[in-house]
Amino acid sequence: MIEKNAKIYVAGHRGLVGSAIVRSLEKDGYTNIVKRTHSELDLTDQRVVFDFFAEERPEYVVLAAAHVGGINANQTCPADFIYINSIIQCNVIKAAHDYKVKKLLFLGSSCIYPKMAHQPISESELLTGPLETTNEGYAVAKIAGLEMCKFFKRQYGDDFISCMPTNLYGPNDNFNLETSHVLPALIRKFDDAKKNGAPSVELWGTGSPLREFLYVDDMADACVYLLQNYSGEEHVNIGTGKEISIKELAEIVKETVGFEGEIVWNSAMPDGTPRKLLDVSKLHNIGWKEKVGLRDGIRLAYEWYLAQDEKDLKK
Ligand SMILES: NC(=O)c1ccc[n+]([C@@H]2O[C@H](COP(=O)([O-])OP(=O)(O)OC[C@H]3O[C@@H](n4cnc5c(N)ncnc54)[C@H](OP(=O)(O)O)[C@@H]3O)[C@@H](O)[C@H]2O)c1
């Protein structure tokens, strides 16, 4: 049991994932959540990270801070993605060990799995084949992070666990069309088109790829549930186990936004991997299942988007 006044440090608390985890912890009655912005505590700086742990002595840590970006950024700056994410993980996981943190949860991403993994992708597919090249630097860093947790547990008995969420969406997402993921990009494109009275919206690819999406507050609930109920060595996939084509997804977002024009598919643009679905039977067996369906989640995400001042949206 995690005491409701336990000191819990959430790294990356302003991000899509970190902010949702703070909401979930507060909803569960946790009152002693420690937060530091990137400018207050640069996690790539080992000395300040260890000073922070020495001063604050957190009992629990959720590592949701990471250098993330879209396909273009990953392809043009692979060195930044492998270095920055590796150093953040090394600093926080080692400090958590040295300062005897009771439990740490590390967040990776489903990009850790081989490009041609068997679908749905179970945890055992890890390191069984070549990675998707577009974000290899990032993926290798994340694999190092989950293996680090596994080996600190094996060598020292640290209760460090890892989870691999599927594609997430919701409040505090990135809506910058250059760097965002597909779902926030669809919301922004249809909303802009509706506001500008555009006759059509052009979307990349053929619309045929199949993808899985999880509302971020659900993902956060799963993380808190794993913190409270799971101490296994192997990482745990977090998803819904349900997939949808990008074409069907675009239709749902178009409807939710209320755009009445046409969708034009630009099949000259890349589709990415044809299918990416996580096997979540392990998570279900541990006793957790999502609550928010895709249509409701997209409506909630759009309502959050409309409620933001233009300047506050990550652009
Ligand atoms: N988004 C998804 O669909 C998705 C899916 C699966 C897994 N995940 C995982 O979830 C984690 C968080 O992703 P996200 O989508 O929440 O990203 P995000 O919205 O960009 O949040 C990342 C957070 O990390 C902070 N950060 C970055 N570098 C830092 C540093 N050097 N020192 C301190 N803080 C730093 C950022 O602060 P600033 O903004 O101030 O720089 C930001 O608050 C990642 O590990 C990712 O793999 C995300």
Side-chain angles (χ1 to χ4, degrees):
M1 274 310 295
I2 304 179
E3 305 300 327
K4 296 299 181 187
N5 62 356
K7 187 176 267 192
I8 307 173
Y9 168 44
V10 178
H13 74 282
R14 297 199 304 180
L16 170 73
V17 169
S19 60
I21 288 174
V22 170
R23 288 194 297 275
S24 183
L25 288 167
E26 288 170 347
K27 186 183 67 180
D28 259 23
Y30 293 100
T31 55
N32 192 0
I33 302 169
V34 178
K35 301 176 264 188
R36 293 287 187 283
T37 64
H38 186 162
S39 50
E40 289 165 342
L41 176 62
D42 180 354
L43 296 172
T44 64
D45 184 330
Q46 188 180 52
R47 191 180 54 70
V48 296
V49 171
F50 278 68
D51 290 351
F52 164 76
F53 273 80
E55 188 194 315
E56 282 291 339
R57 295 298 179 111
E59 295 169 81
Y60 297 85
V61 173
V62 178
L63 182 41
H67 180 63
V68 304
I71 290 182
N72 294 345
N74 272 277
Q75 281 185 310
T76 49
C77 311
D80 293 350
F81 281 90
I82 194 167
Y83 173 74
I84 295 172
N85 288 300
S86 299
I87 200 85
I88 288 176
Q89 296 158 189
C90 289
N91 290 342
V92 174
I93 293 170
K94 183 67 166 68
H97 168 74
D98 289 6
Y99 288 96
K100 305 201 175 349
V101 160
K102 290 179 183 166
K103 192 158 190 170
L104 174 143
L105 172 66
F106 171 70
L107 279 123
S109 145
S110 57
C111 67
I112 64 165
Y113 290 114
K115 183 176 172 72
M116 302 316 285
H118 300 100
Q119 306 277 336
I121 311 171
S122 78
E123 288 83 357
S124 59
E125 289 283 325
L126 182 71
L127 295 173
T128 57
L131 296 166
E132 167 66 53
T133 51
T134 51
N135 53 12
E136 206 168 357
Y138 182 76
V140 170
K142 287 294 175 184
I143 292 168
L146 73 91
E147 295 289 87
M148 213 180 293
C149 289
K150 186 163 81 178
F151 296 139
F152 269 80
K153 178 186 280 290
R154 193 176 295 171
Q155 181 176 351
Y156 299 112
D158 289 314
D159 195 0
F160 295 173
I161 61 172
S162 299
C163 64
M164 297 305 126
T166 188
N167 300 312
L168 305 170
Y169 68 100
N172 284 320
D173 208 342
N174 170 10
F175 289 87
N176 175 323
L177 291 178
E178 298 307 312
T179 58
S180 76
H181 291 151
V182 61
L183 215 161
L186 288 171
I187 289 175
R188 175 120 189 247
K189 279 188 174 183
F190 283 123
D191 186 66
D192 287 352
K194 187 174 101 176
K195 284 188 181 128
N196 305 335
S200 65
V201 163
E202 180 187 295
L203 300 178
W204 278 18
T206 64
S208 63
L210 295 168
R211 293 286 182 271
E212 175 186 23
F213 297 94
L214 177 66
Y215 190 62
V216 72
D217 287 76
D218 255 350
M219 192 282 312
D221 289 354
C223 286
V224 174
Y225 185 84
L226 290 174
L227 267 177
Q228 295 161 337
N229 297 285
Y230 181 75
S231 287
E233 203 179 80
E234 185 182 50
H235 61 283
V236 183
N237 288 343
I238 301 182
T240 62
K242 301 175 186 124
E243 58 192 351
I244 185 172
S245 72
I246 297 298
K247 187 165 275 183
E248 289 165 295
L249 179 75
E251 287 300 337
I252 295 174
V253 178
K254 177 175 178 283
E255 217 179 285
T256 306
V257 169
F259 174 68
E260 284 157 7
E262 295 309 307
I263 295 177
V264 178
W265 291 96
N266 177 354
S267 53
M269 300 306 279
D271 264 342
T273 187
R275 188 181 182 210
K276 197 163 150 187
L277 176 66
L278 292 182
D279 176 340
V280 290
S281 51
K282 180 174 182 163
L283 183 62
H284 290 173
N285 294 340
I286 297 170
W288 187 90
K289 203 171 175 318
E290 84 279 0
K291 297 183 189 64
V292 180
L294 189 56
R295 276 181 185 281
D296 289 341
I298 291 171
R299 180 177 47 71
L300 291 166
Y302 185 47
E303 283 166 6
W304 182 88
Y305 177 77
L306 290 176
Q308 306 314 302
D309 291 351
E310 282 292 299
K311 65 176 177 19
D312 297 333
L313 282 170
K314 287 185 204 165
K315 298 220 168 155

